[in-house]
Amino acid sequence: MKLAQFLMDIYERLYGTYGPQYWWPATTKFEIVLGAILTQNTAWENVKRALENLRGANCVTPLAIREISVERLSLLIRPSGYFNSKAKKLKAFADYLALYNDEIGSWSTRDPKELRSELLKIYGIGPETADDIVLYVAELPSFVIDTYTRRIIGRLGIEPISDTYDSYQSLFEDNLPHQSRLYNEYHALLDFHAKVTCMKRKPICTQCCLRDLCVTGKS
């Protein structure tokens, strides 16, 4: 089976099993940016508490992030962990948005690779966070790679050219249609599958919709 067909088979099985995931949970596009930065190295439950603090302090706009002191911002996002560093990252991103008059909607007409490259130059924005923003905020096709995706791909016996973020991303982007909706749903489904079935320590292989495709779960 060709890789493109194999990847679509995985997607169709996951979608058929779990249905649409309705990602990303947020009220505004800027809250998605906040969440993408705050979720670095922490669980989403911690991010939700930090976002609730920001909402309670009316600090969920780029202008509010720019005007608040870094010390106060750090306290508000403390539940997300690494709060001093993340406060600086949020401020750096808010400063970047000022170049666009805080009009995130203007990104929708950008070339996704050019926007991604621009985002990577901002303090604290790595490949995964940049792709989260390109995909879920700008709604442009940029496949997000995380530890869940790596785990599932590895267990299915798919090997990228090298063990790098870009190589994993190329597996998907070189073999799937460049459609933001597809990338959005695929990434969300992989994450959900990794959390409820293909867990790190004790995967539930007997209930896995990908079992007959998997080189590690057959028995």
Side-chain angles (χ1 to χ4, degrees), residues 17-47:
T17 301
Y18 302 118
Q21 299 300 296
Y22 303 108
W23 270 32
W24 182 302
T27 304
T28 67
K29 286 185 179 295
F30 186 61
E31 283 196 22
I32 298 177
V33 172
L34 295 176
I37 294 173
L38 293 174
T39 199
Q40 295 173 1
N41 301 305
T42 195
W44 184 252
E45 286 302 313
N46 299 328
V47 176

Short mmCIF file of all heavy atoms in Angstrom, two decimals, residues 17-47:
data_model
loop_
_atom_site.label_atom_id
_atom_site.label_comp_id
_atom_site.label_asym_id
_atom_site.label_seq_id
_atom_site.Cartn_x
_atom_site.Cartn_y
_atom_site.Cartn_z
N THR A 17 -14.23 5.90 13.93
CA THR A 17 -14.31 5.41 15.30
C THR A 17 -14.68 6.52 16.29
O THR A 17 -15.53 6.33 17.16
CB THR A 17 -12.96 4.80 15.74
OG1 THR A 17 -12.63 3.72 14.85
CG2 THR A 17 -13.03 4.28 17.17
N TYR A 18 -14.06 7.68 16.14
CA TYR A 18 -14.22 8.74 17.14
C TYR A 18 -15.09 9.92 16.68
O TYR A 18 -15.58 10.68 17.53
CB TYR A 18 -12.85 9.28 17.55
CG TYR A 18 -11.92 8.23 18.10
CD1 TYR A 18 -10.72 7.93 17.46
CD2 TYR A 18 -12.25 7.51 19.24
CE1 TYR A 18 -9.85 6.97 17.96
CE2 TYR A 18 -11.40 6.54 19.75
CZ TYR A 18 -10.20 6.27 19.10
OH TYR A 18 -9.36 5.32 19.61
N GLY A 19 -15.24 10.10 15.38
CA GLY A 19 -16.01 11.23 14.89
C GLY A 19 -15.24 12.54 14.98
O GLY A 19 -14.09 12.56 15.40
N PRO A 20 -15.86 13.66 14.59
CA PRO A 20 -15.18 14.95 14.59
C PRO A 20 -14.81 15.38 16.01
O PRO A 20 -15.55 15.14 16.96
CB PRO A 20 -16.21 15.90 13.96
CG PRO A 20 -17.52 15.23 14.19
CD PRO A 20 -17.25 13.76 14.12
N GLN A 21 -13.66 16.04 16.14
CA GLN A 21 -13.15 16.42 17.45
C GLN A 21 -13.39 17.89 17.82
O GLN A 21 -13.23 18.28 18.98
CB GLN A 21 -11.63 16.15 17.51
CG GLN A 21 -11.28 14.69 17.31
CD GLN A 21 -11.90 13.80 18.39
OE1 GLN A 21 -11.58 13.93 19.56
NE2 GLN A 21 -12.80 12.92 17.98
N TYR A 22 -13.75 18.71 16.86
CA TYR A 22 -14.10 20.11 17.10
C TYR A 22 -12.99 20.88 17.82
O TYR A 22 -13.20 21.54 18.82
CB TYR A 22 -15.40 20.22 17.92
CG TYR A 22 -16.55 19.52 17.26
CD1 TYR A 22 -17.05 18.33 17.76
CD2 TYR A 22 -17.13 20.05 16.09
CE1 TYR A 22 -18.11 17.67 17.15
CE2 TYR A 22 -18.20 19.39 15.48
CZ TYR A 22 -18.68 18.20 16.00
OH TYR A 22 -19.72 17.55 15.39
N TRP A 23 -11.76 20.76 17.32
CA TRP A 23 -10.64 21.53 17.87
C TRP A 23 -10.60 22.90 17.21
O TRP A 23 -10.99 23.04 16.04
CB TRP A 23 -9.34 20.79 17.58
CG TRP A 23 -8.97 19.82 18.65
CD1 TRP A 23 -9.78 19.09 19.47
CD2 TRP A 23 -7.63 19.45 19.00
NE1 TRP A 23 -9.04 18.30 20.29
CE2 TRP A 23 -7.72 18.49 20.03
CE3 TRP A 23 -6.36 19.83 18.54
CZ2 TRP A 23 -6.59 17.91 20.60
CZ3 TRP A 23 -5.25 19.26 19.10
CH2 TRP A 23 -5.37 18.31 20.13
N TRP A 24 -10.10 24.00 17.78
CA TRP A 24 -9.42 24.09 19.07
C TRP A 24 -10.35 24.75 20.06
O TRP A 24 -11.06 25.69 19.71
CB TRP A 24 -8.16 24.93 18.84
CG TRP A 24 -7.26 25.14 19.99
CD1 TRP A 24 -7.54 25.71 21.21
CD2 TRP A 24 -5.88 24.81 20.05
NE1 TRP A 24 -6.41 25.75 21.99
CE2 TRP A 24 -5.39 25.20 21.31
CE3 TRP A 24 -5.01 24.21 19.15
CZ2 TRP A 24 -4.06 25.02 21.69
CZ3 TRP A 24 -3.71 24.03 19.54
CH2 TRP A 24 -3.24 24.42 20.78
N PRO A 25 -10.39 24.35 21.36
CA PRO A 25 -11.29 24.98 22.32
C PRO A 25 -10.86 26.38 22.71
O PRO A 25 -9.86 26.56 23.41
CB PRO A 25 -11.21 24.02 23.53
CG PRO A 25 -9.85 23.39 23.41
CD PRO A 25 -9.59 23.25 21.94
N ALA A 26 -11.57 27.41 22.26
CA ALA A 26 -11.25 28.80 22.60
C ALA A 26 -12.39 29.69 22.17
O ALA A 26 -13.20 29.33 21.32
CB ALA A 26 -9.96 29.24 21.92
N THR A 27 -12.45 30.88 22.77
CA THR A 27 -13.50 31.84 22.44
C THR A 27 -13.12 32.71 21.25
O THR A 27 -13.95 33.05 20.41
CB THR A 27 -13.80 32.73 23.66
OG1 THR A 27 -14.15 31.90 24.77
CG2 THR A 27 -14.96 33.68 23.36
N THR A 28 -11.86 33.10 21.17
CA THR A 28 -11.37 33.96 20.09
C THR A 28 -10.09 33.38 19.49
O THR A 28 -9.46 32.51 20.09
CB THR A 28 -11.06 35.37 20.61
OG1 THR A 28 -9.94 35.30 21.52
CG2 THR A 28 -12.27 35.97 21.33
N LYS A 29 -9.70 33.90 18.34
CA LYS A 29 -8.46 33.43 17.72
C LYS A 29 -7.25 33.76 18.58
O LYS A 29 -6.29 32.98 18.64
CB LYS A 29 -8.32 34.06 16.32
CG LYS A 29 -9.26 33.45 15.29
CD LYS A 29 -9.00 34.01 13.91
CE LYS A 29 -9.92 33.37 12.87
NZ LYS A 29 -9.67 31.94 12.69
N PHE A 30 -7.27 34.90 19.26
CA PHE A 30 -6.14 35.23 20.11
C PHE A 30 -6.06 34.30 21.31
O PHE A 30 -4.97 33.97 21.78
CB PHE A 30 -6.21 36.69 20.59
CG PHE A 30 -4.97 37.10 21.36
CD1 PHE A 30 -3.72 37.09 20.75
CD2 PHE A 30 -5.05 37.48 22.69
CE1 PHE A 30 -2.57 37.44 21.45
CE2 PHE A 30 -3.92 37.85 23.40
CZ PHE A 30 -2.67 37.83 22.78
N GLU A 31 -7.20 33.81 21.78
CA GLU A 31 -7.16 32.82 22.87
C GLU A 31 -6.53 31.52 22.39
O GLU A 31 -5.91 30.80 23.18
CB GLU A 31 -8.56 32.59 23.43
CG GLU A 31 -9.03 33.70 24.35
CD GLU A 31 -10.22 33.29 25.19
OE1 GLU A 31 -10.44 32.09 25.39
OE2 GLU A 31 -10.95 34.19 25.65
N ILE A 32 -6.70 31.20 21.11
CA ILE A 32 -6.02 30.02 20.57
C ILE A 32 -4.51 30.22 20.63
O ILE A 32 -3.76 29.32 21.00
CB ILE A 32 -6.46 29.74 19.12
CG1 ILE A 32 -7.96 29.44 19.06
CG2 ILE A 32 -5.67 28.56 18.54
CD1 ILE A 32 -8.49 29.21 17.66
N VAL A 33 -4.06 31.43 20.30
CA VAL A 33 -2.63 31.74 20.40
C VAL A 33 -2.16 31.60 21.83
O VAL A 33 -1.12 30.97 22.11
CB VAL A 33 -2.35 33.18 19.90
CG1 VAL A 33 -0.90 33.55 20.18
CG2 VAL A 33 -2.65 33.30 18.41
N LEU A 34 -2.92 32.16 22.77
CA LEU A 34 -2.57 32.06 24.17
C LEU A 34 -2.45 30.59 24.58
O LEU A 34 -1.49 30.18 25.24
CB LEU A 34 -3.62 32.75 25.04
CG LEU A 34 -3.77 34.27 24.89
CD1 LEU A 34 -4.94 34.77 25.74
CD2 LEU A 34 -2.49 34.98 25.27
N GLY A 35 -3.44 29.80 24.19
CA GLY A 35 -3.43 28.38 24.54
C GLY A 35 -2.26 27.64 23.92
O GLY A 35 -1.66 26.76 24.54
N ALA A 36 -1.93 27.97 22.67
CA ALA A 36 -0.83 27.30 21.98
C ALA A 36 0.50 27.53 22.69
O ALA A 36 1.36 26.64 22.74
CB ALA A 36 -0.75 27.78 20.54
N ILE A 37 0.67 28.72 23.24
CA ILE A 37 1.91 29.03 23.97
C ILE A 37 1.88 28.43 25.38
O ILE A 37 2.85 27.83 25.84
CB ILE A 37 2.13 30.56 24.03
CG1 ILE A 37 2.39 31.10 22.61
CG2 ILE A 37 3.31 30.91 24.95
CD1 ILE A 37 2.45 32.62 22.53
N LEU A 38 0.75 28.57 26.05
CA LEU A 38 0.65 28.08 27.43
C LEU A 38 0.70 26.56 27.53
O LEU A 38 1.12 26.02 28.55
CB LEU A 38 -0.65 28.59 28.06
CG LEU A 38 -0.75 30.09 28.29
CD1 LEU A 38 -2.15 30.46 28.79
CD2 LEU A 38 0.31 30.56 29.27
N THR A 39 0.30 25.86 26.47
CA THR A 39 0.26 24.40 26.53
C THR A 39 1.63 23.75 26.37
O THR A 39 1.77 22.53 26.52
CB THR A 39 -0.71 23.83 25.47
OG1 THR A 39 -1.07 22.49 25.82
CG2 THR A 39 -0.08 23.85 24.09
N GLN A 40 2.65 24.55 26.10
CA GLN A 40 4.01 24.00 25.99
C GLN A 40 4.42 23.33 27.31
O GLN A 40 4.38 23.96 28.36
CB GLN A 40 5.01 25.11 25.63
CG GLN A 40 4.79 25.73 24.27
CD GLN A 40 5.70 26.94 24.04
OE1 GLN A 40 6.50 27.31 24.87
NE2 GLN A 40 5.55 27.57 22.89
N ASN A 41 4.76 22.06 27.24
CA ASN A 41 5.27 21.31 28.40
C ASN A 41 4.29 21.22 29.56
O ASN A 41 4.71 21.18 30.73
CB ASN A 41 6.59 21.91 28.89
CG ASN A 41 7.65 21.92 27.82
OD1 ASN A 41 7.98 20.88 27.25
ND2 ASN A 41 8.19 23.10 27.53
N THR A 42 3.00 21.18 29.26
CA THR A 42 2.03 21.01 30.35
C THR A 42 0.75 20.41 29.81
O THR A 42 0.53 20.35 28.59
CB THR A 42 1.73 22.36 31.04
OG1 THR A 42 1.07 22.11 32.28
CG2 THR A 42 0.86 23.25 30.18
N ALA A 43 -0.11 19.96 30.71
CA ALA A 43 -1.40 19.36 30.33
C ALA A 43 -2.43 20.46 30.08
O ALA A 43 -2.35 21.55 30.64
CB ALA A 43 -1.89 18.43 31.43
N TRP A 44 -3.41 20.15 29.24
CA TRP A 44 -4.41 21.15 28.88
C TRP A 44 -5.23 21.61 30.08
O TRP A 44 -5.68 22.77 30.13
CB TRP A 44 -5.34 20.61 27.79
CG TRP A 44 -6.31 21.64 27.33
CD1 TRP A 44 -7.65 21.71 27.56
CD2 TRP A 44 -6.00 22.82 26.56
NE1 TRP A 44 -8.19 22.83 27.00
CE2 TRP A 44 -7.20 23.53 26.37
CE3 TRP A 44 -4.81 23.32 26.01
CZ2 TRP A 44 -7.26 24.72 25.66
CZ3 TRP A 44 -4.87 24.51 25.30
CH2 TRP A 44 -6.08 25.20 25.14
N GLU A 45 -5.44 20.76 31.06
CA GLU A 45 -6.18 21.17 32.25
C GLU A 45 -5.50 22.34 32.94
O GLU A 45 -6.15 23.24 33.47
CB GLU A 45 -6.34 19.99 33.22
CG GLU A 45 -7.34 18.95 32.78
CD GLU A 45 -8.74 19.52 32.57
OE1 GLU A 45 -9.21 20.27 33.46
OE2 GLU A 45 -9.34 19.25 31.52
N ASN A 46 -4.18 22.34 32.96
CA ASN A 46 -3.44 23.45 33.56
C ASN A 46 -3.59 24.72 32.73
O ASN A 46 -3.69 25.83 33.27
CB ASN A 46 -1.96 23.09 33.68
CG ASN A 46 -1.73 21.89 34.57
OD1 ASN A 46 -2.47 21.66 35.52
ND2 ASN A 46 -0.71 21.11 34.28
N VAL A 47 -3.63 24.56 31.42
CA VAL A 47 -3.81 25.69 30.52
C VAL A 47 -5.19 26.32 30.73
O VAL A 47 -5.33 27.55 30.76
CB VAL A 47 -3.65 25.26 29.05
CG1 VAL A 47 -3.94 26.43 28.11
CG2 VAL A 47 -2.25 24.72 28.80
#
